[in-house]
Amino acid sequence: MKMKKILVVTCSKGDGKKSTLLQSLKLLEDDISVVINANNKTGLSKCYNRQLVPENLIKHDIVLFVHDDVYIDDLKLKGKLYTAIENVGYDIVGLAGASKIEIKKPCLWHLMSNREDWSGTVSHPVGGDKLMPTTFGPWPRRCLMLDGLFLAVDLKRALEVGWKFNENFTFHHYDVASCLDANKKKLKMGTYPIHVTHNSPGLGDVNDKVFTDSQETFIKLYKG
């Protein structure tokens, strides 16, 4: 199969033109097309779902949904994504996740799973110009749940089974909920060795009201 351009989709509170993601994609211009949802005031799920449409199949097989504070440092991005989908057989490709989970508070994928079930590696800044890889576990590995910082979707398969991101969630838990929905629709998910740096410290406080309200919705919908 001839490899088409990867459609990269991101959301930004500003215009997105100076985002970490966009800066990193300059070396990949021949392999990608980019959609920036600038000045975004809607949830990530609604923002992302606008691109899960049949019209995009004309030019794209794979849609990559990625946070705008991610720096993709992998010139083999397109080849790796096609390998993960066509050869390994994934329908959704991520960078970090877990093969088993137990739904419990706090509802974060790595805290709802055991360390031996973790997979993947993502680098993070540790001050100045230094980086440190956060290694969760070996990859590639089939997963039940993936971190939403980077999710590459086989567009044809998603459309075939009617999968979309769960619009009950705007930011917190949109990824874990959407992964559980994908599993119910028999989509195969897993991690693959693609190198990125995520310029985010993660959730600062599990008692943050926005997070806990979202958490209650997640538990209500998925536990039991």
Side-chain angles (χ1 to χ4, degrees):
M1 178 186 295
K2 181 180 178 181
M3 292 192 293
K4 301 177 184 177
K5 284 191 174 185
I6 306 299
L7 178 59
V8 179
V9 180
T10 192
C11 297
S12 180
K13 292 181 180 179
D15 62 17
K17 294 179 180 179
K18 295 183 179 179
S19 68
T20 301
L21 175 66
L22 204 63
Q23 296 304 309
S24 74
L25 295 177
K26 290 181 177 180
L27 295 175
L28 300 169
E29 289 180 345
D30 291 340
D31 293 328
I32 63 167
S33 300
V34 182
V35 171
I36 302 172
N37 294 275
N39 304 306
N40 182 56
K41 291 182 172 60
T42 187
L44 283 184
S45 292
K46 288 184 178 181
C47 171
Y48 286 171
N49 284 340
R50 296 175 191 145
Q51 303 303 324
L52 290 174
V53 292
E55 293 82 357
N56 279 334
L57 282 172
I58 298 171
K59 295 183 178 180
H60 310 286
D61 295 316
I62 300 169
V63 185
L64 170 57
F65 301 95
V66 59
H67 293 183
D68 68 348
D69 58 358
V70 170
Y71 190 95
I72 299 177
D73 187 21
D74 200 320
L75 294 178
K76 296 181 179 179
L77 175 69
K78 183 167 77 169
K80 287 184 176 182
L81 288 179
Y82 267 92
T83 297
I85 288 174
E86 292 190 341
N87 296 352
V88 182
Y90 294 150
D91 301 308
I92 302 176
V93 183
L95 304 183
S99 58
K100 298 177 183 177
I101 66 153
E102 176 187 357
I103 296 176
K104 60 183 179 180
K105 297 180 182 179
C107 295
L108 297 166
W109 71 262
H110 62 293
L111 298 181
M112 293 191 292
S113 57
N114 297 320
R115 184 174 292 273
E116 61 265 26
D117 298 318
W118 293 356
S119 172
T121 297
V122 178
S123 293
H124 295 90
V126 290
D129 59 354
K130 294 181 176 60
L131 301 174
M132 179 178 289
T134 302
T135 300
F136 296 98
W139 57 355
R141 187 176 187 181
R142 178 87 178 264
C143 289
L144 174 67
M145 189 170 285
L146 296 168
D147 191 298
L149 84 154
F150 179 112
L151 295 171
V153 177
D154 181 334
L155 179 57
K156 183 177 179 180
R157 284 284 293 134
L159 293 171
E160 284 175 348
V161 302
W163 176 84
K164 288 192 173 186
F165 288 93
N166 193 315
E167 295 187 4
N168 287 301
F169 303 92
T170 56
F171 183 72
H172 296 301
H173 304 101
Y174 84 95
D175 50 356
V176 292
S178 298
C179 283
L180 291 177
D181 293 346
N183 185 67
K184 290 179 182 178
K185 291 182 176 293
K186 308 300 183 183
L187 294 178
K188 185 177 179 181
M189 298 174 288
T191 56
Y192 203 76
I194 295 168
H195 304 292
V196 312
T197 298
H198 191 198
N199 291 282
S200 169
L203 179 67
D205 183 3
V206 294
N207 296 310
D208 174 79
K209 189 177 186 306
V210 176
F211 176 82
T212 56
D213 286 349
S214 177
Q215 179 172 252
E216 291 303 320
T217 300
F218 176 74
I219 288 176
K220 181 179 178 180
L221 290 176
Y222 290 95
K223 187 169 184 178

